[in-house]
Amino acid sequence: MTLTSRLATRADVDVLRALMDRAIAELLPGFLSDEQVRASAAIMGLDTQLIDDGTYFVIESDGVPAGCGGWSRRATLYGGDHAASRDSALLDPAHDPARVRAMYTDPAYKRRGVGRMILELCERAAADEGFTRLELMATLAGEPLYRSYGFAEVERTEDARGGAPVPIVRMRRDITS
């Protein structure tokens, strides 16, 4: 299997949202209750600002979307278009970490390097813009990948905006490139 990457476009939105729905429905149940999985779907999702900013990637295997994710130079740490907490203020690379955002792997491609590829792309792109650190908000399902990539826990918290408290982990990593 050969993975390729490209920047997402607005034409990808429907396919990406379907991929995200599959990832949430199939990859989170081993870590969360059914109620928390449903709440996760209300909290997470695609932030199309990332597509508009040219910082959101689609990973493909033979032209089939296998995953997606990106990074941001904006203040929002997590949440999709529907999140009221979105903040489009630009970050200062001299002081702020770039945000890794909205990473999802299609369940058919889990544990095949999709997530690591997204992280490598994000790290390179953020470094090219002068950022020296990355930050993200991890689900419990994503935490092992981020730890293996060198992210360290900053804090554990919960987000109950979706109707049930969903545990999430704020993590940070220095850019090494």
Side-chain angles (χ1 to χ4, degrees), residues 92-97 133:
D92 180 353
H95 301 98
D96 302 315
R133 291 174 296 147

Side-chain angles (χ1 to χ4, degrees), residues 127-174:
D128 287 348
E129 289 200 19
F131 286 93
T132 60
R133 291 174 296 147
L134 297 173
E135 185 173 66
L136 56 81
M137 192 63 86
T139 64
L140 297 185
E143 184 180 7
L145 167 66
Y146 304 131
R147 282 195 188 282
S148 75
Y149 195 76
F151 280 87
E153 178 180 324
V154 174
E155 72 171 321
R156 287 187 180 271
T157 188
E158 292 181 335
D159 188 329
R161 291 176 296 165
V166 176
I168 48 180
V169 184
R170 187 180 200 126
M171 302 181 83
R172 201 172 285 149
R173 172 198 192 324
D174 289 338

Side-chain angles (χ1 to χ4, degrees), residues 6-22 45-53 56-58 60 65 67-69 80-82 86 102 104:
R6 64 176 175 81
L7 287 175
T9 69
R10 284 289 186 139
D12 295 313
V13 168
D14 290 340
V15 169
L16 296 178
R17 285 196 172 126
L19 185 154
M20 291 173 184
D21 290 345
R22 284 191 305 280
L46 180 61
D47 183 343
T48 52
Q49 181 70 60
L50 301 173
I51 294 173
D52 295 343
D53 285 347
Y56 202 69
F57 303 100
V58 177
E60 296 176 325
C68 54
D81 285 343
H82 56 281
R86 290 175 64 208
Y104 296 90

Side-chain angles (χ1 to χ4, degrees), residues 50 56 69-74 76-78 91 97-103 115 118-119 122-123 126 133-138 146 149 151 171 173:
L50 301 173
Y56 202 69
W71 72 281
S72 183
R73 60 181 74 88
R74 298 182 185 275
T76 299
L77 184 56
Y78 71 101
L91 299 169
R99 312 297 199 220
V100 174
R101 302 275 318 277
M103 284 187 52
I118 293 167
L119 290 171
C122 291
E123 183 173 15
R133 291 174 296 147
L134 297 173
E135 185 173 66
L136 56 81
M137 192 63 86
Y146 304 131
Y149 195 76
F151 280 87
M171 302 181 83
R173 172 198 192 324

Side-chain angles (χ1 to χ4, degrees), residues 17-34 36-38 40-41 44 104-111 139 141-142:
R17 285 196 172 126
L19 185 154
M20 291 173 184
D21 290 345
R22 284 191 305 280
I24 291 168
E26 296 180 36
L27 300 177
L28 292 182
F31 298 87
L32 303 174
S33 70
D34 291 346
Q36 289 171 316
V37 171
R38 283 190 298 278
S40 295
M44 300 178 199
Y104 296 90
T105 298
D106 187 297
Y109 295 92
K110 71 181 181 181
R111 305 192 63 74
T139 64

